[in-house]
């Protein structure tokens, strides 16, 4: 039985195909439309997963939609009556969801109607973690901005059932808290929170007391928390929102009172001062205090020592890195698409297990669920830009032997070259994990500045992540468990910090990705080759993009290569190498 899952008309629109309880394909719409966090209807992602599932319309027996208008209905209604503008918005959204089955049929070209099942937002988040985790039993928690009127939900998963036993509802939300302060700090775009998380390491939490007044969450024995309304506006006005086909947009969430307390908000073009770093650090520390204390409580009330975590706040890898040390849980699973994109898969899994009662036999042990391209498609894309490649003095050649390809790329990286690495199926979730990656030498401290200024063209304070052979993780990090999805910041062992200086953040941590041969044979062999050359089993890994969604296809990889100062591009067995440093226009 095939189930299509969908997250539509919401940030990070996406689609997933689950066949007989196993995920077969999943992708975010942004990769196809090239609009970051695209929030409309995921037509392209849907067409891709439908085709990748190699199913026919007759095999598709249900569409699982990650939204349930009936969830928290009375609370939604009360709020809508209080804020008439909100009522109008709800009616508009509702009418789009009413015809979602027809929109799906149109997208994949079928005249046959398909039954639609709705799954509440946080249940889909919980399902996206628990049902694909390796755990038979686990405590489960979802923490995000807001979805179906809740911002957090927790419970226990056992076998093929999830038993939620608590939630926090609008307007209280750790996600909204973090987003509001991210806006205040001059990062207004949807999904900018991770930038502030990186900035937080540069400051001291000098304003923690103020932030403790902002998020009211007594320690010990409580799961709930509240936002102090004085600091925010979302509870008594309707922030501007854009959920169309373009990039999602959210109006200002912080109040004038917050500015009175913390000082004037930073404009995006203004310099980042020590004050901003201290605010980011205080924001992050308070999030960790509240989150870790709730998790300690969840550990107690659930009586289970394994944890599954999802929701947008689960991307806070700094907080995640403290969970096993500070909350009593022994094992943690966070799926690669922990945010709203993951809802598509979560809804489909929820339908298969919770609603239809089917047993589990699938564990998500890698994140490569997106499109892939053949050698001839890659060759065709290269032929399409032959003139530009010769103008920029690039050699094009092939290395068909996998071992030789890895040895060649590893030696180029060790020589200080920056390599675009495009292989196999695209990653599901925001992190590039070795199939759509830009790779560099982690031993060269200057790589951080070179990558930030010349390739990625982004803020200088943002760190780069290390990919390490799984079996060697304990040598370099004070953490030796698998971390395949790059969702945990771990302390780098003090004696190794200067060795992998380009991937060690200012606070001495690295957002580590462990790689084993079963997950990604080629990437594993590349890192292994680098280790054989240098004695360091680590490669710097950043996503293959430049202020755009991660590249999907060979044409986009070539385009990114040609407009940046990357030294090499390796796509399948094809190698494109600059022979001289070209005068590529720099938008700095
Ligand atoms: Fe969410």
């Amino acid at each position: 039985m095939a189930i299509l899952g969908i997250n539509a008309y919401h940030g990070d629109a996406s689609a997933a195909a689950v066949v007989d309880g196993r995920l077969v394909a999943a992708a975010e719409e942004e990769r196809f439309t090239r609009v970051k966090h695209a929030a409309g209807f995921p037509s392209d992602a849907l067409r891709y997963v439908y085709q990748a599932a190699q199913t026919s319309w007759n095999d598709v027996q249900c569409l699982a939609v990650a939204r349930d208008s009936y969830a928290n209905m009375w609370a939604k209604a009360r709020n809508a009556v209080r804020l008439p503008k909100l009522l109008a918005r709800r009616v508009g959204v509702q009418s789009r969801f009413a015809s979602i089955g027809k929109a799906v049929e149109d997208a994949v070209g079928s005249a046959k109607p398909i039954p639609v099942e709705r799954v509440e937002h946080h249940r889909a988040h919980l399902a996206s973690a628990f049902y694909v985790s390796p755990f038979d039993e686990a405590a489960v928690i979802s923490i995000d901005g807001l979805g179906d009127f809740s911002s957090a939900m927790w419970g226990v998963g056992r076998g093929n059932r999830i038993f939620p036993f608590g939630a926090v509802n609008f307007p209280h939300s750790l996600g909204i808290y973090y987003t509001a302060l991210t806006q205040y700090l001059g990062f207004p775009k949807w999904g900018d929170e991770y930038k502030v998380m990186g900035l937080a390491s540069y400051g001291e939490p000098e304003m923690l007391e103020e932030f403790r007044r902002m998020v009211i969450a007594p320690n010990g024995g409580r799961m709930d928390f509240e936002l102090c309304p004085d600091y925010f506006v979302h509870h008594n006005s309707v922030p501007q929102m854009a959920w169309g086909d373009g990039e999602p947009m959210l109006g200002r969430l912080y109040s004038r009172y917050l500015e009175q307390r913390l000082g004037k908000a930073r404009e995006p073009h203004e310099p980042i001062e020590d004050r901003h770093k201290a605010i980011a650090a205080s924001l992050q520390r308070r999030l960790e205090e509240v989150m870790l204390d709730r998790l300690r409580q969840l550990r107690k009330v659930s009586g289970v020592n394994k944890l599954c975590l999802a929701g947008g706040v689960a991307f806070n890898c700094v907080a995640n890195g403290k969970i096993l040390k500070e909350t009593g849980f022994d094992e943690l699973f966070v799926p690669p698409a922990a945010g709203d994109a993951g809802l598509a898969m979560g809804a489909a899994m929820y339908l298969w297990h919770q609603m239809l009662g089917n047993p589990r036999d699938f564990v998500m042990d890698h994140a490569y669920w997106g499109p892939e391209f053949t050698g001839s498609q890659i060759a065709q894309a290269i032929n399409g830009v032959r003139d530009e490649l010769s103008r920029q003095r690039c050699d094009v050649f092939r290395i068909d032997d996998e071992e030789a390809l890895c040895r060649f790329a590893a030696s180029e990286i060790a020589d200080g070259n920056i390599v675009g690495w495009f292989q196999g199926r695209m990653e599901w979730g925001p992190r590039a994990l070795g199939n759509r990656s830009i790779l560099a030498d982690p031993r060269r401290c200057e790589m951080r500045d070179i990558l930030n200024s010349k390739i990625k063209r982004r803020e200088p304070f943002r760190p780069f992540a290390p990919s390490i052979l799984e079996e060697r993780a304990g040598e370099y990090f004070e953490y030796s468990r698998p971390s395949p999805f790059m969702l945990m910041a771990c302390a780098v062992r003090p004696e190794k910090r200067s060795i992998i200086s380009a991937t060690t953040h200012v606070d001495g941590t690295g957002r580590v990705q462990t790689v084993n041969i079963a997950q990604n044979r080629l990437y594993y062999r590349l890192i292994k080759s680098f280790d054989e050359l240098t004695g360091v089993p680590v490669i710097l890994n950043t996503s293959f993009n430049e202020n755009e969604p991660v590249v999907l296809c060979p044409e986009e990889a070539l385009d990114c290569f040609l407009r940046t100062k990357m030294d090499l591009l390796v796509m399948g067995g094809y190698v494109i190498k600059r022979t001289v440093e070209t005068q590529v226009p720099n938008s700095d």
Side-chain angles (χ1 to χ4, degrees), residues 202-204 206-207 271-281:
Y202 289 85
E204 291 298 322
E206 295 160 10
M207 298 167 208
I272 293 172
E273 300 166 2
D274 287 346
R275 177 175 78 87
H276 301 125
K277 295 173 187 170
I279 290 170

Side-chain angles (χ1 to χ4, degrees), residues 43-54:
S43 316
D44 292 314
L46 198 54
R47 271 191 287 273
Y48 156 67
V49 300
Y50 178 67
Q51 283 160 10
Q54 294 186 315

Side-chain angles (χ1 to χ4, degrees), residues 109-124:
S110 169
K112 187 185 161 199
I114 182 169
V116 178
E117 291 290 347
R118 294 168 196 284
V119 179
E120 192 272 332
H121 187 100
H122 285 274
R123 286 172 188 256

Side-chain angles (χ1 to χ4, degrees), residues 10 121-122 125 142-147 150 311-312 338-340 343:
H10 194 81
H121 187 100
H122 285 274
H125 272 314
S142 159
I143 312 171
D144 70 2
L146 197 67
S150 296
D340 285 344
L343 293 169

Side-chain angles (χ1 to χ4, degrees), residues 476-496:
Y476 280 77
F477 299 94
E478 289 172 4
Y479 181 84
S480 53
R481 294 163 189 267
S483 171
F485 304 136
M486 209 190 262
L487 288 171
M488 210 176 295
C490 305
V492 183
R493 292 193 178 280
E495 70 277 15
K496 300 291 188 189

Side-chain angles (χ1 to χ4, degrees), residues 43-269:
S43 316
D44 292 314
L46 198 54
R47 271 191 287 273
Y48 156 67
V49 300
Y50 178 67
Q51 283 160 10
Q54 294 186 315
T55 186
S56 73
W57 192 247
N58 288 330
D59 298 326
V60 177
Q61 286 164 23
C62 211
L63 172 70
V65 178
R67 181 189 169 91
D68 182 2
S69 312
Y70 298 102
N72 292 313
M73 196 169 67
W74 291 112
K76 282 177 188 168
R78 272 197 304 275
N79 201 49
V81 168
R82 196 169 61 82
L83 297 166
K85 258 169 118 181
L86 191 62
L87 183 62
R89 185 184 290 170
R90 283 206 182 285
V91 170
V93 171
Q94 194 50 36
S95 67
R96 286 198 287 185
F97 276 95
S99 55
I100 200 160
K102 177 77 175 66
V104 170
E105 288 150 32
D106 290 347
V108 299
S110 169
K112 187 185 161 199
I114 182 169
V116 178
E117 291 290 347
R118 294 168 196 284
V119 179
E120 192 272 332
H121 187 100
H122 285 274
R123 286 172 188 256
H125 272 314
L126 297 179
S128 78
F130 177 64
Y131 287 134
V132 302
S133 77
F135 310 143
D136 287 334
E137 184 179 40
V140 292
I141 187 164
S142 159
I143 312 171
D144 70 2
L146 197 67
D148 279 327
F149 215 69
S150 296
S151 73
M153 183 179 282
W154 54 88
V156 167
R158 283 195 191 95
N160 66 348
R161 303 279 294 168
I162 292 173
F163 304 92
F165 51 69
V168 169
N169 284 347
F170 177 90
H172 308 296
S173 162
L174 288 177
I176 286 179
Y177 154 74
Y178 214 95
T179 303
L181 272 294
T182 297
Q183 294 176 339
Y184 167 86
L185 286 167
F187 301 96
K189 289 195 166 184
W190 188 265
D192 273 352
E193 291 82 357
Y194 67 103
K195 297 181 184 176
V196 172
M197 183 183 70
L199 181 65
S201 304
Y202 289 85
E204 291 298 322
E206 295 160 10
M207 298 167 208
L208 186 55
E209 285 310 317
E210 188 71 41
F211 281 76
R212 284 176 175 155
R213 287 190 284 275
M214 214 177 283
V215 185
I216 304 156
N219 271 357
R222 295 277 293 271
M223 283 299 292
D224 59 332
F225 53 83
E226 291 186 2
L227 297 186
C228 174
D230 298 347
Y231 294 86
F232 305 94
V233 298
H234 63 288
H235 55 92
N236 60 11
S237 68
V238 183
Q240 264 194 317
M241 288 172 85
W243 288 125
D245 290 330
E247 206 167 325
M249 193 277 294
L250 191 54
R252 180 171 60 85
L253 294 168
Y254 59 88
S255 70
R256 295 298 171 214
Y257 176 74
L258 184 141
E259 281 193 289
Q260 284 168 22
R261 299 295 303 170
L262 298 180
K264 191 176 165 304
R266 175 181 167 266
E267 293 295 329
H269 62 272

